[in-house]
């Protein structure tokens, strides 16, 4: 047997790392998955190639995150290997060694936001975002689509790219009124610089393959054809599976494989999924076969035939309403008066509280997006946890115009004034690739 698409597979099961011994995100999470993939003989198929894990460095992290106060405060070596392995799988695809790639790694990352004080949703650093920033710095790739199919809203990835017009972020997840993090609704469409390049589809509990594939065919596919990304990444959380202990969804391994075939991603990265024996071994076999362009019709979970996996008409009606609404918004995005969404002032400001459920922290944040007609504009974030570690971060976009670059320079030139008010001043200037802090990072 030979793969129709040459496919790289990278395992980093992090067998020596866990949040706690009984936590869903623990050492053995990928144990059965790796065994199943080898026992089924997938790694013996010509054209399916195993790649070794790699470690990234702290410079990669500060290009993506504002780590308060130091990167070492919020991550471990396992986090660096998980993110570094995503970079390695990206290299395998973008250097042309393979057609497709999948990183089966942990810890996951899609709840880690731009500013991070610790761990939330089992995530400390955003492994897809670290990979995306690496790709943009090292390859001729401008437009990237991230399709997140985890059961939980990808609020961290959304936060990082909320104002970036060159990154399309679509999150399909269980309705936030029924699950962590409680966000990701259809009216959440991104910032003024990247309006409608953030799309959220909260699906009802008990949604089946039929609902997921309807969204794929009727929303994701047409939007991708219009956006024309240079690269498609699937953040493939597998906690939508009907056996997952943390969610209330009814997706099967066959559904995941069919989604992979229709989405045709370049890179797949594992996110959540906590049914260690009942889901992950089957789902990942199905995804790898689909990526490789091979038959996956015999991938079936035990006792699946005994279950009724049909979607109710009520669930499908809700999904169709969301798909119709978001399709209309996306198609009309250039004609919509953004002042109705963000106000008519020169900047858009918002205050919010962010709960770190894993670390037990509550962050208070104030954000300001400076509007610009020529680029996506400067973003300013003030943040603190329990009134300490007051920080301000100034983010300059990759496409910054001269006027916005000057605005950022004027803000950052006066370190003396800023440091009198804040404990730390962070600069994330993607245009000049200047990632610094005052006082300077210790590493």
């Amino acid at each position: 047997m030979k793969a129709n698409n040459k496919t790289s597979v990278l395992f980093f099961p992090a067998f020596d790392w866990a949040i706690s011994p009984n936590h869903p995100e623990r050492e053995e999470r990928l144990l059965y998955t790796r065994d199943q993939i080898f026992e089924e003989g997938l790694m013996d198929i010509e054209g399916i190639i195993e790649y070794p894990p790699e470690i990234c460095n702290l410079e990669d992290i500060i290009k993506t995150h504002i780590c308060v106060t130091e990167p070492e405060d919020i991550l471990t070596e396992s986090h660096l290997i998980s993110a570094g392995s995503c970079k390695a799988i990206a290299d395998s695809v973008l250097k042309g060694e393979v057609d497709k790639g999948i990183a089966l790694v942990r810890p996951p990352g899609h709840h880690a936001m731009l500013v991070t004080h610790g761990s939330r949703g089992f995530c400390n650093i955003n492994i897809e975002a670290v990979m995306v920033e690496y790709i943009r710095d090292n390859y001729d790739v401008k437009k990237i689509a991230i399709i997140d199919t985890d059961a939980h809203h990808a609020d961290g990835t959304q936060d990082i790219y909320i104002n970036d017009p060159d990154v399309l972020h679509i999150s399909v997840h269980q309705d936030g009124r029924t699950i962590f993090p409680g966000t990701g609704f259809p009216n959440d469409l991104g910032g003024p610089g990247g309006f409608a390049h953030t799309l959220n589809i909260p699906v009802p509990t008990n949604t089946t393959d039929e609902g997921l594939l309807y969204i794929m065919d009727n929303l994701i596919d047409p939007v991708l054809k219009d956006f024309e990304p240079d690269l498609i990444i699937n953040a493939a959380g597998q906690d939508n599976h009907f056996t997952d202990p943390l969610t209330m969804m009814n997706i099967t391994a066959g559904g995941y494989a069919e989604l992979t075939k229709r989405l045709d991603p370049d890179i797949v990265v594992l996110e959540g999924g906590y049914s260690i024996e009942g889901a992950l071994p089957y789902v990942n076999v199905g995804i790898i076969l689909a990526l490789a362009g091979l038959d996956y019709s015999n991938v079936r979970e035990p006792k699946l035939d005994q279950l009724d996996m049909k979607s109710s008409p009520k669930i499908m009606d809700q999904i169709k309403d969301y798909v119709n609404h978001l399709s209309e918004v996306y198609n009309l995005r250039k004609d919509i008066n953004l002042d109705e969404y963000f106000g008519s002032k020169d900047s858009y400001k918002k205050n919010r509280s962010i709960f770190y459920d894993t670390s037990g922290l509550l962050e208070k944040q104030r954000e300001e997006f400076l509007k610009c007609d020529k680029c996506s504009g400067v973003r300013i974030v003030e943040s603190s946890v329990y009134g300490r570690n007051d920080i301000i971060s100034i983010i300059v976009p990759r496409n910054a115009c001269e006027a916005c670059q000057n605005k950022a320079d004027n803000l950052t030139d006066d370190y003396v004034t800023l440091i009198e008010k804040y404990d730390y001043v962070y600069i994330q200037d993607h245009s000049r690739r200047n990632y610094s802090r005052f006082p300077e990072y210790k590493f």
Side-chain angles (χ1 to χ4, degrees), residues 122-333:
F122 318 162
C123 302
N124 296 48
I125 57 171
N126 196 305
I127 56 176
E128 286 94 7
V130 170
M131 176 178 69
V132 165
E133 295 312 304
Y134 169 74
I135 290 170
R136 294 165 113 186
D137 282 349
N138 291 280
Y139 293 96
D140 185 21
V141 173
K142 183 179 181 185
K143 296 172 70 176
I144 296 176
I146 305 173
I147 313 301
D148 192 302
T149 49
D150 191 278
H152 302 83
H153 174 224
D155 56 345
T157 311
Q158 171 176 307
D159 180 66
I160 292 168
Y161 295 111
I162 197 166
N163 209 42
D164 193 326
D166 291 323
V167 176
L168 171 71
H169 181 239
I170 301 178
S171 180
V172 183
H173 46 264
Q174 184 178 315
D175 192 318
R177 291 170 293 187
T178 62
I179 197 170
F180 177 89
T183 53
F185 297 102
N187 62 349
D188 197 353
L189 295 161
F195 182 74
H197 286 163
T198 293
L199 298 174
N200 287 297
I201 307 99
V203 298
T205 56
N206 297 315
T207 291
T208 66
D209 296 349
E210 181 185 1
L212 181 65
L213 297 175
Y214 182 89
I215 294 167
M216 177 65 232
D217 293 343
N218 295 280
L219 179 68
I220 297 174
D221 185 54
V223 169
L224 286 174
K225 285 177 178 170
D226 179 83
F227 184 68
E228 296 183 325
D230 301 313
L231 195 75
I232 298 175
I233 298 165
N234 179 204
Q238 298 168 17
D239 41 10
N240 282 308
H241 193 266
F242 65 90
T243 63
D244 195 276
L246 302 187
T247 68
M248 294 178 282
M249 299 286 283
N250 280 333
I251 306 301
T252 69
Y256 279 105
E258 184 63 25
L259 175 80
T260 305
K261 178 185 177 184
R262 299 188 193 186
L263 178 61
D264 193 24
D266 300 288
I267 297 169
V268 175
V269 176
L270 174 68
E271 274 294 335
Y274 306 97
S275 178
I276 296 173
E277 292 185 65
L280 269 68
Y282 304 98
V283 173
N284 284 305
V285 166
I287 290 176
I288 292 171
L289 289 172
L291 275 180
L294 297 172
D295 177 32
Y296 49 81
S297 60
N298 291 318
V299 178
R300 293 182 67 79
E301 302 87 336
K303 300 181 180 179
L304 179 60
D305 293 336
Q306 301 172 21
L307 303 174
D308 179 7
M309 304 301 279
K310 294 180 181 176
S311 278
S312 75
K314 185 177 179 181
I315 289 174
M316 288 304 299
D317 287 346
Q318 179 66 73
I319 289 172
K320 289 175 182 177
D321 283 346
Y322 284 149
V323 166
N324 290 338
H325 169 70
L326 288 170
S327 297
E328 184 177 1
V329 169
Y330 181 80
N331 291 330
L332 295 175
R333 67 193 184 283

Side-chain angles (χ1 to χ4, degrees), residues 385-400:
V385 169
Y386 301 132
R388 58 183 172 79
N389 288 330
D390 285 335
I391 67 113
I392 185 170
S393 50
I394 297 162
I395 295 91
V396 183
R398 288 176 182 267
N399 65 348

Side-chain angles (χ1 to χ4, degrees), residues 63 114 133 136-137 160-166 193-194 368-372 374-380 394-409 427-435:
K63 290 178 181 178
L114 172 66
E133 295 312 304
R136 294 165 113 186
D137 282 349
I160 292 168
Y161 295 111
I162 197 166
N163 209 42
D164 193 326
D166 291 323
E368 182 174 11
F369 297 90
L370 306 186
K371 295 179 184 175
C372 180
K374 296 180 180 177
C375 71
S376 48
V378 175
R379 178 181 180 182
I380 302 167
I394 297 162
I395 295 91
V396 183
R398 288 176 182 267
N399 65 348
C401 66
E402 184 176 352
C404 285
Q405 191 76 64
N406 290 336
K407 283 182 187 176
D409 288 346
I427 312 299
Q428 200 179 63
D429 186 342
H430 294 291
S431 175
R432 293 175 177 161
R433 299 190 185 184
N434 170 28
Y435 306 94

